[in-house]
Amino acid sequence: MIGERMLEALNKQINEELYSSYLYLSMSAWFDNIGLKGFANWMKVQSKEELGHAMKFYNYIISRGGKVRLHEIKAPPHEWQSPLHAFEETLKHEKHITECINKLVELAEEEKDRATFNMLQWFVDEQVEEEANDEEIIAKLKMIEGSNGIFMLDNQLAQRKYVEEVK
Ligand code: OFO
């Protein structure tokens, strides 16, 4: 069994991941509306990945005999000033998620909950990858500012495909 403090923190993280999914779905709709279908695709894939992250926590809680408690998901913003602004907000949000994961790791250490500590290592690695992906796209967006390069980048982001990680 998972301790009560750890269980509450893991349930809170399900909500964080579902909000991430909601946020990126909202960004995907906005990109579609401004005609950048590739960016919209990238964000839709990201939204699905976040749902997968929520399900990893959900499945883990159940596998340890804990109770899943779903909370209200807040509404995400609906508009951004530019693609660069949307990706800067994405990176800011991912840094917040990295902090949440680090706090969960600290709690697992405090509680001497080895199983949860091990499960969380996947998320520690995932956050490194997610921040790096966002930083790469931000760097490209800065390079092409004011040129037609945005359409090339849009084509590149259209190639991203969703790979299911949670069974
Ligand atoms: Fe974006 O990694 Fe989950 O939230």
Side-chain angles (χ1 to χ4, degrees):
M1 278 294 269
I2 317 177
E4 206 36 56
R5 267 177 87 205
M6 194 76 244
L7 183 61
E8 199 188 318
L10 292 173
N11 269 311
K12 193 167 167 280
Q13 193 59 30
I14 292 182
N15 189 267
E16 292 279 359
E17 302 294 342
L18 289 176
Y19 175 76
S20 302
S21 179
Y22 231 35
L23 173 64
Y24 300 142
L25 191 60
S26 186
M27 285 184 178
S28 179
W30 178 75
F31 276 119
D32 252 321
N33 286 153
I34 63 166
L36 290 172
K37 304 283 178 199
F39 281 85
N41 170 67
W42 195 95
M43 280 297 174
K44 204 173 281 166
V45 171
Q46 191 59 36
S47 172
K48 282 186 191 164
E49 279 200 5
E50 298 299 354
L51 194 55
H53 295 172
M55 290 309 294
K56 264 189 198 283
F57 283 107
Y58 175 105
N59 289 336
Y60 176 73
I61 290 173
I62 292 190
S63 76
R64 298 278 315 272
K67 281 204 174 88
V68 166
R69 293 191 194 102
L70 299 176
H71 303 293
E72 191 176 355
I73 306 164
K74 70 176 179 202
H78 304 114
E79 242 170 288
W80 292 268
Q81 292 149 20
S82 63
L84 177 59
H85 179 227
F87 269 90
E88 280 172 343
E89 289 299 303
T90 299
L91 179 59
K92 202 199 280 176
H93 180 67
E94 285 308 323
K95 286 187 172 168
H96 160 71
I97 295 294
T98 300
E99 243 178 72
C100 294
I101 299 294
N102 289 344
K103 282 193 185 136
L104 287 173
V105 171
E106 281 163 28
L107 183 60
E109 277 171 336
E110 240 177 83
E111 303 265 303
K112 300 194 176 10
D113 183 342
R114 309 273 177 244
T116 302
F117 179 88
N118 279 349
M119 181 276 292
L120 288 168
Q121 297 316 300
W122 184 91
F123 284 94
V124 171
D125 294 341
E126 177 70 7
Q127 284 312 115
V128 172
E129 193 189 310
E130 294 217 344
E131 286 190 24
N133 288 344
D134 295 337
E135 273 160 4
E136 189 189 319
I137 294 172
I138 287 171
K140 284 182 180 165
L141 280 167
K142 283 184 175 164
M143 265 185 259
I144 62 180
E145 233 176 356
S147 76
N148 281 342
I150 190 95
F151 299 111
M152 276 168 68
L153 187 53
D154 192 50
N155 281 337
Q156 186 194 320
L157 299 186
Q159 309 308 316
R160 186 180 188 194
K161 288 192 172 51
Y162 177 61
V163 182
E164 182 140 13
E165 285 162 334
V166 179
K167 302 281 168 257

